[in-house]
Amino acid sequence: MRPETRSRLLTACQEIVGADAVISSPDELRVYECDALTTEHRAMPDLVVLPTSTAQVAALVRLSAAEGVPIVPRGAGTGLSGGAIPVDGGVLIVLTRMTRVLDVDLANRTATVEAGCINLAITRAAARRGFFYAPDPASQQASTIGGNVAENAGGPHCLKYGATTNHVLALTVVLPDGTVTRFGDRIADRPGYDLRGVFIGSEGTLGICTEVTVRLLPEPEAVRTLLVAFRSMEAASRAVSAIIAKGIVPVALEMIDQETTRALEAYANAGYPTDAEAVLLVELTGLRAEVAAEGPIVEAICREHDCLLLKAAEDEAERMLLWKGRKSAAGAFGRMTRNYYHQDAVVPRTKLAAVLTEIAEIGRQFGVRVPNVFHAGDGNIHPLLCFDARLPGEYERAMAAGDEIMRCCIRAGGTVSGEHGIGIEKREYLRLMYSEQDLAAMRRVQRVLDPAGLCNPRKIFPEEAVA
Amino acid sequence: MRPETRSRLLTACQEIVGADAVISSPDELRVYECDALTTEHRAMPDLVVLPTSTAQVAALVRLSAAEGVPIVPRGAGTGLSGGAIPVDGGVLIVLTRMTRVLDVDLANRTATVEAGCINLAITRAAARRGFFYAPDPASQQASTIGGNVAENAGGPHCLKYGATTNHVLALTVVLPDGTVTRFGDRIADRPGYDLRGVFIGSEGTLGICTEVTVRLLPEPEAVRTLLVAFRSMEAASRAVSAIIAKGIVPVALEMIDQETTRALEAYANAGYPTDAEAVLLVELTGLRAEVAAEGPIVEAICREHDCLLLKAAEDEAERMLLWKGRKSAAGAFGRMTRNYYHQDAVVPRTKLAAVLTEIAEIGRQFGVRVPNVFHAGDGNIHPLLCFDARLPGEYERAMAAGDEIMRCCIRAGGTVSGEHGIGIEKREYLRLMYSEQDLAAMRRVQRVLDPAGLCNPRKIFPEEAVA
C-alpha cells in the first residue's frame, strides 16, 4: 500500500471509529499476522480497526472500497485454515468489540447477538431459562459467532444437532460495496433466494456479518454418557456404524486413539483407559424415556463389537470429567509434540475403518506420528501431524504426509473440510473435488457480490482460478 | 416468437429428443397453459419438450440460449403459484419422463432419483427396507421431486422434519448456459459456497435440476395420532403454542376449522366432529418410550385448554382414516365452493390466534367465505378464498380480500409463502418484505447465473424490478 493511501485511510478510519479503535503501529499490528493455522502462515495488515456498530462496519467497508483496499474480517482469530490472515494486506476489521446480546426471545426460541459475541455467551444468556445454542466447536469459549458463521463451525454435539448453518436463522450483513442487508428471517423461511445459506461458510468473501439470529434449543430432559474401550480402531469404527445403522443418533460419538488417550490422561487425569487402541465417548440426550430406551441398545452393540470396557458416567460430575478429558485433547497435543498441523476431513462413515488404516500406513511411510481424536459419528476426522520445526525436513515431511492423507480422504468419497474451512490452507484441494464448471459457478457468485475482489481476497478458491 | 425461429427450434428439438417427445400443435400445447394456480392465469408455450436424460436437457437449454428463447421447467404442474406458466412463451421443458430411481444407498441413507420422479415413489423405493423420504406435500402422489425442489415444498410432517431443503443433499443442475454442474454432496457438507441452498426454492430461475439426492429416514418405531376438538380457533391456537412451548415437537400439528370439517365429513366420513369450531390433528412419532412419554403431556395440555373431545387412533386403520380426512380437504373444497383461491402464508405461532381473528373479520368485510385448514405447528396458514366466477365482482372481491390477508400476515411479522412459492402469484408482495437492497442482492445472483434472463422469466421478483 502506498504511504499516502495508508495515511489517508488511517485518518478516515479514526474519524469513523475513534482513534482508540485503530491500530497502526507495526508492533501492535504483528499480533494480527496469524490466526490458529500453523505459524508458518502469516501476513501483516496495513491497519486494524475495531468497530462497535453495523454502521461503523459499513462506513469502513465503503471507505476501503473507495480506496481499492482489501478488507479482511476477523473474530477471535481461532480459525484453523488461515481465513483471517490478510494475505494481501489492507484493513483488518476485528469484531471483538461487538459482543452485545441484543435479544433473547424464548417464545420464538431465538437469540440475536452481535457478531463478536463469544459462542458460549449465547448459551449463557439463555441457560437460566433452560435453553442453549447447540453448535459447540472446541474453541467455543473463545471463538465468536461471526467467525463460526464464516467457517460454518461444527463441534462434538453437531452429530445430532447439525452445524452452524442449521442453527442460524438470520444475518445482518455488510456487503462488499458497503450496503447493509439482511439474509434469512427470525420466524420463518422467506421467499426468494436463500442467501443465508450461501453466506454461512463463505469465509468472509461475500461481506461481513455484524448481527446473527440463532435458534435456541431447550436443554434435554436426560443425558447418558458412555465411555467404551475397544481392541482396535477398526472394531470401534464398526461399532460406530452399527449404532447409526440402528437408527440411533447420539448427540456425540467421539473416537480417541491410544496415543491421544495416553497424553490426555497424563494431562487431565479424566479416567480414560490407556491400554486400549481406541476409545469411544458416546452421549445420548432426549426425554428420560428415550435415553432409557436407547442406552441399553448402544451398550449391546458395543459388547457385540467386543469392547474391553464400558462404563456410564454415574453423575454430572463424572460426565463433566469425561468431557474435560475429551476437550483437553488440544491441550495434550502440546505435550505430545513440539509442533503440529491439525487436519480436518470427512469420510463416509462406512469407510472410516479403511481410511484410518491407510492414514496409519501413510504415517509410517513418511515417518510422521499421526494421532487422531475425532467426531466419528459423522466421519469427521482430525489427524494431528506431529513434527519438530527445528529439525530439518520434519515440517516438509509432515506437510507431504498431510497431502497424502487429504488425497486418501477424497479418494474414499470424502471432503477436505468438515468444520475448519478452506481459507488459504486447502484451496488447491478444491480442484480435486470440483470440476472447472463447479468452481466457475461459485466464482461467478463471488464476483457479482464482490466485483473488485477486495473482500478477504485469495481465500477458498484455487490460486490462479481467482484471477 | 417468429415463425422461422419456431420452425428452426422445432427441428432442432426433434433432433435432440426425437419427434415423439416434442409437442407443437396448439391443441396439445393448450394442456400446458396452466398449472394449479387459478385458471385465470394462463400462457401458451411455443413448444413443449419431454427429455429423458440430463444430456438432452443440457442440449435443449444450450439450443434455447443460442436462439435467445425463454425456457421454463415443469414437473407435474401441481404448483400453486404459477411457477410453471410460460408467461413469455418459449420452450417448456417437462421432466415427467425422467422418473428413474438411480440409487438407494441405505448404508449412507440416501436415494438418488431423476427429477421427474414422483415424491411418493421415493418412499416406495425405500419402504421395503424400513426407510422413507420425509417431506409430504398434499400433492405427493402427483408432484415431482424436481418441482418440490423448485418450490422448497413442505407438508404436514415438515413441522418435525423440516421442508425439502432440509432433505435434499445434492443436485445435478443444468445451468442457464447449458453447463451441467453438481451442487451439494451425497455424503458430507462440501467446501465452498452452498449453492444447493440457493437453488432449492429458486423456482426454476437459476437452471433446471435433473437429478436429486435425498436423505432417507428410518421409519419411526411408534406413532400416536390424536384428534382433538376445541370450542374456538383461539383455544386451539393457544393449545398449539403450549405444546411447542413444552419442548415437544409433534411430527404433525394440523388445524381444521368448522366449515372445513363439515365439508370433509360429508365427503370422506372420517370421524371428524362437526360441532366444534376447531379441530387439531396431532401426530407424535419416535421411539416407543418417547411417544409413550409425550402422549399424556399433549393430552393434558389439550384438556387444560378445555378441549371438547379428545380421541386417539386405536390402530393403524383408524389412523389412516383420520389422515384420509385431513388429506380430503382439497377434494372437499370442490363441494364448498364453485371456485377458490388457495392462499399460503406464515405467521409467528404466537400470533396465530390474533391473525385468525383478523382473517375472519376481513372475510366478513369483503363478503367472502374463508375456510382454513392448515399446518398450525409452524404457523403456516392456508386461507381458502371462496367465490363463484360466474357472478360479477366475486372474483375481484376474493382477490381484494386475499390481498388484505397477505398484508395482515406481513404486519404480524410473517411471510407470504410457507411452501407454495412466489411464482407469478405473489411477486409484488416481496416489496413489502424486502428492502430494495435485499432484492438487488438476489437479482444480482440471478443475473450472474442467467445474464440473458431467459430461465423461467418474470417469476419471483416484482415486475419492474426484474427489468
Side-chain angles (χ1 to χ4, degrees):
Chain A
M1 189 181 292
R2 289 189 313 182
E4 59 273 27
T5 309
R6 185 167 182 279
S7 151
R8 212 167 43 232
L9 263 180
L10 175 58
T11 310
C13 285
Q14 285 171 335
E15 274 166 26
I16 294 167
V17 295
D20 69 330
V22 183
I23 293 169
S24 61
S25 80
D27 278 356
E28 288 181 284
L29 288 176
R30 199 153 290 128
V31 174
Y32 296 94
E33 267 188 330
C34 298
D35 59 12
L37 179 59
T38 69
T39 49
E40 276 71 20
H41 297 92
R42 56 178 71 228
M44 281 280 267
D46 289 289
L47 289 175
V48 170
V49 192
L50 297 119
T52 54
S53 70
T54 299
Q56 287 186 357
V57 173
L60 292 167
V61 171
R62 279 195 301 272
L63 170 68
S64 306
E67 292 282 1
V69 162
I71 50 165
V72 177
R74 179 183 170 110
T78 56
L80 286 156
S81 55
I85 298 176
V87 285
D88 288 342
V91 178
L92 194 71
I93 299 182
V94 179
L95 291 139
T96 48
R97 290 190 183 171
M98 292 182 64
T99 60
R100 283 184 302 163
V101 175
L102 301 170
D103 177 52
V104 176
D105 173 0
L106 292 183
N108 288 303
R109 302 188 165 196
T110 65
T112 300
V113 302
E114 289 183 328
C117 183
I118 303 295
N119 172 303
L120 207 55
I122 304 175
T123 291
R124 286 213 190 96
R128 222 175 330 167
R129 318 258 310 257
F131 286 81
F132 72 108
Y133 172 66
D136 59 338
S139 61
Q140 71 179 138
Q141 301 203 345
S143 63
T144 65
I145 186 69
N148 292 178
V149 165
E151 305 300 323
N152 188 20
H157 288 78
C158 291
L159 174 58
K160 181 165 183 170
Y161 293 125
T164 302
T165 194
N166 301 111
H167 296 271
V168 169
L169 300 170
L171 298 162
T172 299
V173 172
V174 178
L175 293 173
D177 67 356
T179 4
V180 177
T181 189
R182 191 100 180 124
F183 294 153
D185 190 87
R186 212 164 54 89
I187 303 293
D189 284 350
R190 299 195 91 178
Y193 302 136
D194 178 13
L195 295 177
R196 186 201 60 82
V198 173
F199 191 86
I200 297 170
S202 67
E203 306 192 12
T205 61
L206 299 180
I208 301 180
C209 81
T210 56
E211 290 178 15
V212 183
T213 299
V214 302
R215 175 182 287 125
L216 297 174
L217 297 181
E219 279 164 12
E221 195 181 89
V223 55
R224 186 169 175 84
T225 308
L226 301 169
L227 183 74
V228 196
F230 291 88
R231 201 174 305 279
S232 66
M233 298 289 275
E234 190 175 336
S237 300
R238 291 194 200 289
V240 166
S241 278
I243 291 166
I244 301 286
K246 198 74 185 179
I248 292 173
V249 182
V251 71
L253 189 38
E254 302 281 299
M255 200 188 301
I256 310 166
D257 71 6
Q258 191 166 20
E259 182 169 358
T260 309
T261 49
R262 285 183 177 163
L264 68 84
E265 268 307 299
Y267 183 84
N269 198 15
Y272 280 65
T274 54
D275 54 351
E277 249 192 39
V279 167
L280 286 186
L281 185 64
V282 189
E283 188 159 280
L284 300 164
T285 61
L287 294 171
R288 255 184 295 276
E290 185 182 1
V291 172
E294 288 181 343
I297 300 173
V298 169
E299 294 179 16
I301 291 172
C302 291
R303 291 210 179 83
E304 280 162 27
H305 289 79
D306 300 320
C307 64
L308 303 172
L309 170 95
L310 190 157
K311 69 170 184 182
E314 293 296 327
D315 52 29
E316 186 60 15
E318 199 176 336
R319 177 176 167 260
M320 293 311 291
L321 187 61
L322 288 178
W323 274 108
K324 183 177 165 230
R326 166 63 184 89
K327 293 197 173 175
S328 299
F333 294 159
R335 301 199 166 194
M336 291 159 72
T337 172
R338 184 171 174 90
N339 304 98
Y340 61 78
Y341 171 39
H342 200 182
Q343 288 196 297
D344 172 36
V346 180
V347 296
R349 214 162 30 230
T350 48
K351 302 253 177 88
L352 255 186
V355 168
L356 293 175
T357 305
E358 198 170 338
I359 290 174
E361 180 50 43
I362 292 168
R364 272 191 294 278
Q365 190 185 323
F366 284 85
V368 177
R369 283 187 301 132
V370 195
N372 205 340
V373 39
F374 59 97
H375 315 312
D378 43 20
N380 184 192
I381 61 174
H382 290 307
L384 189 86
L385 297 154
C386 299
F387 62 96
D388 183 339
R390 297 167 308 179
L391 303 178
E394 283 233 333
Y395 173 74
E396 291 72 16
R397 273 217 310 281
M399 294 303 123
D403 181 66
E404 270 309 305
I405 290 171
M406 279 296 129
R407 288 168 194 274
C408 154
C409 293
I410 295 171
R411 274 196 307 272
T415 164
V416 296
S417 172
E419 55 187 10
H420 296 177
I422 300 303
I424 54 175
E425 179 198 3
K426 289 183 189 153
R427 287 179 291 177
E428 294 305 322
Y429 292 112
L430 263 60
R431 288 189 208 284
L432 303 181
M433 296 190 57
Y434 289 114
S435 70
E436 260 314 304
Q437 284 91 328
D438 292 329
L439 289 170
M442 290 195 226
R443 282 195 302 267
R444 277 183 285 173
V445 171
Q446 180 187 41
R447 282 185 195 145
V448 77
L449 288 175
D450 182 23
L454 292 173
C455 203
N456 208 6
R458 295 166 60 198
K459 302 294 163 70
I460 304 181
F461 297 107
E463 188 65 30
E464 56 264 54
V466 175
Chain B
M1 190 180 292
R2 290 190 310 182
E4 60 271 27
T5 308
R6 184 166 182 279
S7 152
R8 214 168 40 232
L9 262 179
L10 176 58
T11 310
C13 285
Q14 286 172 334
E15 274 166 25
I16 294 168
V17 296
D20 68 330
V22 182
I23 293 169
S24 60
S25 80
D27 278 356
E28 287 182 286
L29 287 176
R30 198 153 291 129
V31 174
Y32 296 93
E33 267 188 328
C34 296
D35 58 12
L37 179 59
T38 68
T39 48
E40 276 72 20
H41 296 93
R42 55 179 72 226
M44 281 281 268
D46 289 288
L47 289 175
V48 170
V49 192
L50 297 120
T52 53
S53 69
T54 299
Q56 286 185 357
V57 174
L60 292 167
V61 171
R62 280 195 300 273
L63 170 68
S64 306
E67 292 282 2
V69 162
I71 50 165
V72 177
R74 179 183 169 112
T78 57
L80 287 157
S81 55
I85 299 176
V87 284
D88 288 342
V91 178
L92 194 71
I93 301 183
V94 179
L95 291 138
T96 47
R97 291 191 182 172
M98 292 182 64
T99 60
R100 283 184 303 162
V101 174
L102 301 171
D103 177 53
V104 176
D105 173 359
L106 292 184
N108 287 303
R109 302 188 164 195
T110 66
T112 300
V113 302
E114 289 183 330
C117 183
I118 303 296
N119 173 303
L120 206 55
I122 304 176
T123 290
R124 286 214 190 93
R128 221 175 331 167
R129 318 251 318 250
F131 286 81
F132 73 107
Y133 172 66
D136 59 338
S139 61
Q140 70 179 140
Q141 302 202 346
S143 63
T144 64
I145 186 71
N148 292 177
V149 164
E151 305 299 325
N152 187 21
H157 288 78
C158 291
L159 174 58
K160 180 166 183 171
Y161 294 125
T164 303
T165 193
N166 301 113
H167 296 272
V168 169
L169 301 170
L171 298 161
T172 299
V173 172
V174 178
L175 294 173
D177 67 356
T179 11
V180 177
T181 187
R182 190 98 180 125
F183 294 151
D185 190 85
R186 213 164 53 89
I187 303 295
D189 283 350
R190 299 194 92 178
Y193 302 135
D194 178 13
L195 295 178
R196 186 201 60 81
V198 173
F199 191 86
I200 297 170
S202 67
E203 307 191 12
T205 62
L206 300 179
I208 302 178
C209 81
T210 56
E211 290 178 15
V212 184
T213 300
V214 302
R215 175 183 287 124
L216 297 174
L217 296 180
E219 279 165 11
E221 195 180 88
V223 56
R224 186 167 177 82
T225 308
L226 300 169
L227 183 74
V228 196
F230 290 88
R231 199 173 306 277
S232 66
M233 298 291 273
E234 189 175 337
S237 300
R238 292 194 197 289
V240 166
S241 278
I243 291 166
I244 301 286
K246 197 76 185 177
I248 293 172
V249 182
V251 72
L253 188 39
E254 302 281 298
M255 200 188 298
I256 310 167
D257 70 5
Q258 191 166 19
E259 182 168 0
T260 310
T261 50
R262 286 184 177 162
L264 67 83
E265 269 307 299
Y267 184 84
N269 199 13
Y272 280 65
T274 54
D275 54 351
E277 249 193 38
V279 167
L280 286 187
L281 185 64
V282 189
E283 187 159 279
L284 300 164
T285 61
L287 293 171
R288 253 184 296 276
E290 185 182 1
V291 172
E294 288 181 344
I297 300 174
V298 169
E299 294 179 15
I301 290 172
C302 290
R303 291 210 181 84
E304 279 162 27
H305 288 78
D306 300 321
C307 64
L308 303 172
L309 169 95
L310 191 157
K311 70 171 183 181
E314 292 298 327
D315 52 30
E316 185 61 15
E318 199 176 335
R319 176 176 167 259
M320 293 311 291
L321 187 62
L322 288 178
W323 275 109
K324 182 176 167 233
R326 166 64 184 89
K327 294 197 173 176
S328 299
F333 294 159
R335 300 201 166 195
M336 291 158 72
T337 173
R338 184 172 174 90
N339 304 97
Y340 60 78
Y341 169 40
H342 200 181
Q343 287 196 297
D344 171 36
V346 181
V347 297
R349 213 161 31 227
T350 49
K351 303 254 177 87
L352 254 187
V355 168
L356 292 175
T357 304
E358 199 170 337
I359 289 174
E361 180 49 43
I362 292 169
R364 271 191 295 277
Q365 190 183 323
F366 285 85
V368 177
R369 284 188 299 131
V370 195
N372 204 340
V373 40
F374 59 97
H375 315 311
D378 43 20
N380 184 191
I381 62 175
H382 290 307
L384 189 85
L385 297 154
C386 299
F387 62 97
D388 183 339
R390 297 167 307 179
L391 304 179
E394 283 233 333
Y395 172 74
E396 291 71 17
R397 272 218 310 283
M399 294 302 123
D403 182 66
E404 270 309 305
I405 290 172
M406 280 295 130
R407 287 169 194 274
C408 154
C409 293
I410 294 172
R411 275 196 307 272
T415 164
V416 295
S417 172
E419 54 188 11
H420 296 177
I422 300 302
I424 55 176
E425 179 197 3
K426 290 183 189 152
R427 285 178 293 178
E428 293 305 321
Y429 292 112
L430 263 60
R431 289 188 206 284
L432 303 181
M433 297 190 58
Y434 290 114
S435 70
E436 261 313 305
Q437 284 90 328
D438 292 329
L439 289 170
M442 290 194 225
R443 282 195 300 268
R444 278 183 284 173
V445 171
Q446 181 187 40
R447 282 186 193 144
V448 76
L449 288 175
D450 182 22
L454 293 174
C455 203
N456 209 5
R458 296 168 57 198
K459 301 295 164 70
I460 303 181
F461 297 107
E463 187 65 29
E464 54 265 55
V466 175

